[in-house]
Amino acid sequence: MTSLQTPDSNPIDYIDEEDFIVLEIPQQSSGERLDKVLATFLPEFSRNRLKTWVETGAVTVDGRVTKSRYLLHGGEVVRVFPQEMPEQFAFKAEKIDLDVVFEDESIIVINKPPGLVVHPAAGNWTGTLLNGLLFHYPELSHLPRAGIVHRLDKDTSGLMVVARTAQAQTSLVRQLQERSVGRRYLSLVWGESPSQGKVLATIGRDQRDRVKMAAGSGHGKPATTLFRRLAKGQFANTPCTLLECRLETGRTHQIRVHLESIGLPLLGDQTYRKKTPAVAKSLSFQRQALHAYGLIIQHPVTQSPASWYRLPPMDFLDLLTSLGIEFDSLPTEGSLHPLLGKIEDR
């Protein structure tokens, strides 16, 4: 019997687990076409829409993009990435400037600015990172999600890795699944944090506001965030803290939700602000103060450790200055070494 897998039974951090449907193809479907099987098990979607998703690379069979007429053998794992609008609008190449930190034949590392949406979705069908990638790297049109294997929120800045080949994409997805990718963030929060900590709380959709996520919800997915204090600051006589955060999982809005849940909401966050002090109304910084400053992976081809480091954008640095936090509080590029600067698991 075909089963829809949950993250608990098959944990993986490809984009975000809630973004795709996973099907295990039963042996009795051997010899049947992919499009027919999809129509059988996903009747909520039209046959034309399913066919379009297959032809545009939004469906993979055992990690490979194939055709609608592909004959299944049974036992395959099919991943479907639902698209909410016709491909010709969402997956259009657009001339968008990209800050490329590194590129070779297998990967691209991007320093994403705040305000740039990563992937087309409701309200942002164009002008996304994906659209820009398709313009600068047309070959990415043959890969699911144009090679994107993880994402950052629209108003979060920082480093992202993109695959240029199917081999690289498979390797990066596996590393995310094994939680071996190092993702380091800088965040500015309201309040005084302990010197270090670990947040263990499930994350799921907020039942009262479906746009938001919530920590500790019974229907949520396991999530872990580690943090350590780098410096203390102050805004209008209200304490603030500069934190380094590291992810062990990759849930939607994870850092923002986890930190707010322990009374440390991010400065500038316009969504998660229940515990934000009244003085926040005077803050001119109008996005969450979150920057992905460090990225560590195993190179998909050389198998060697590779790391990249980028300072926050100028608005974040200006905010540090206004809070009285010195730039020498920021982590150095040398701290990206996997064996250095480790946050204790306690």
Side-chain angles (χ1 to χ4, degrees):
M1 179 178 180
T2 299
S3 63
L4 177 61
Q5 294 185 328
T6 66
D8 290 334
S9 61
N10 185 30
I12 182 172
D13 283 337
Y14 187 94
I15 307 295
D16 195 277
E17 287 100 346
E18 66 189 31
D19 287 332
F20 60 77
I21 300 167
V22 182
L23 301 172
E24 291 180 352
I25 304 303
Q27 292 299 326
Q28 55 263 40
S29 294
S30 176
E32 295 188 11
R33 286 172 47 137
L34 174 62
D35 54 357
K36 180 180 177 182
V37 172
L38 288 176
T40 299
F41 293 112
L42 300 174
E44 65 270 34
F45 301 113
S46 71
R47 287 176 178 264
N48 284 338
R49 176 163 290 195
L50 290 170
K51 182 178 180 180
T52 297
W53 291 350
V54 174
E55 299 300 329
T56 57
V59 177
T60 63
V61 178
D62 286 341
R64 298 187 301 275
V65 175
T66 185
K67 300 293 184 181
S68 296
R69 61 180 179 275
Y70 177 84
L71 296 181
L72 295 164
H73 303 289
E76 297 98 331
V77 174
V78 175
R79 284 191 171 87
V80 182
F81 301 86
Q83 308 298 319
E84 295 185 350
M85 70 168 297
E87 176 273 343
Q88 61 265 34
F89 297 108
F91 293 87
K92 178 182 178 182
E94 296 180 51
K95 188 175 182 180
I96 297 172
D97 291 336
L98 301 178
D99 181 3
V100 178
V101 174
F102 173 86
E103 66 174 290
D104 62 14
E105 293 182 354
S106 59
I107 61 173
I108 308 158
V109 177
I110 303 290
N111 185 24
K112 188 188 86 67
L116 179 63
V117 173
V118 170
H119 191 276
N124 294 103
W125 293 120
T126 60
T128 70
L129 173 63
L130 183 145
N131 299 119
L133 286 168
L134 290 176
F135 178 86
H136 295 284
Y137 306 95
E139 71 274 14
L140 297 182
S141 63
H142 301 294
L143 295 177
R145 302 252 176 158
I148 295 171
V149 294
H150 66 121
R151 66 182 173 197
L152 297 174
D153 295 337
K154 175 183 177 180
D155 289 326
T156 298
S157 57
L159 296 167
M160 295 180 57
V161 62
V162 177
R164 295 187 75 172
T165 67
Q167 176 191 0
Q169 191 165 38
T170 299
S171 173
L172 293 171
V173 169
R174 186 186 68 250
Q175 291 179 55
L176 285 164
Q177 180 179 5
E178 295 171 351
R179 300 179 180 177
S180 61
V181 175
R183 289 171 286 178
R184 313 270 177 93
Y185 294 77
L186 292 171
S187 63
L188 282 163
V189 300
W190 294 105
E192 296 186 15
S193 82
S195 60
Q196 62 182 16
K198 180 176 183 178
V199 185
L200 281 166
T202 59
I203 292 180
R205 286 288 170 190
D206 189 317
Q207 296 301 295
R208 291 169 294 183
D209 184 348
R210 302 297 293 174
V211 175
K212 300 171 63 176
M213 308 300 287
S217 53
H219 62 284
K221 304 167 187 175
T224 304
T225 303
L226 299 124
F227 66 89
R228 65 176 175 129
R229 185 180 65 224
L230 298 177
K232 297 179 181 180
Q234 197 173 81
F235 178 81
N237 297 318
T238 302
C240 305
T241 308
L242 173 65
L243 299 178
E244 178 193 30
C245 300
R246 306 188 188 186
L247 298 181
E248 288 190 357
T249 52
R251 313 304 181 201
T252 301
H253 301 173
Q254 179 173 320
I255 292 176
R256 299 162 64 189
V257 172
H258 267 176
L259 292 181
E260 188 201 35
S261 74
I262 60 172
L264 299 171
L266 270 66
L267 271 69
D269 199 324
Q270 302 301 303
T271 302
Y272 302 99
R273 50 184 179 178
K274 284 184 179 179
K275 300 178 182 179
T276 297
V279 297
K281 297 177 181 178
S282 304
L283 189 72
S284 59
F285 196 86
Q286 294 298 304
R287 68 175 181 90
Q288 63 265 13
L290 187 61
H291 172 71
Y293 81 88
L295 178 66
I296 307 167
I297 66 167
Q298 181 183 57
H299 192 281
V301 175
T302 68
Q303 305 302 310
S304 299
S307 64
W308 296 271
Y309 169 94
R310 279 297 181 273
L311 285 170
M314 190 55 65
D315 65 340
F316 193 109
L317 295 177
D318 288 343
L319 181 57
L320 286 177
T321 300
S322 68
L323 301 177
I325 297 176
E326 300 291 338
F327 290 172
D328 59 11
S329 301
L330 298 171
T332 64
E333 187 166 3
S335 70
L336 284 180
H337 191 287
L339 300 180
L340 298 178
K342 181 178 179 182
I343 298 175
E344 294 299 328
D345 187 6
R346 64 183 183 188

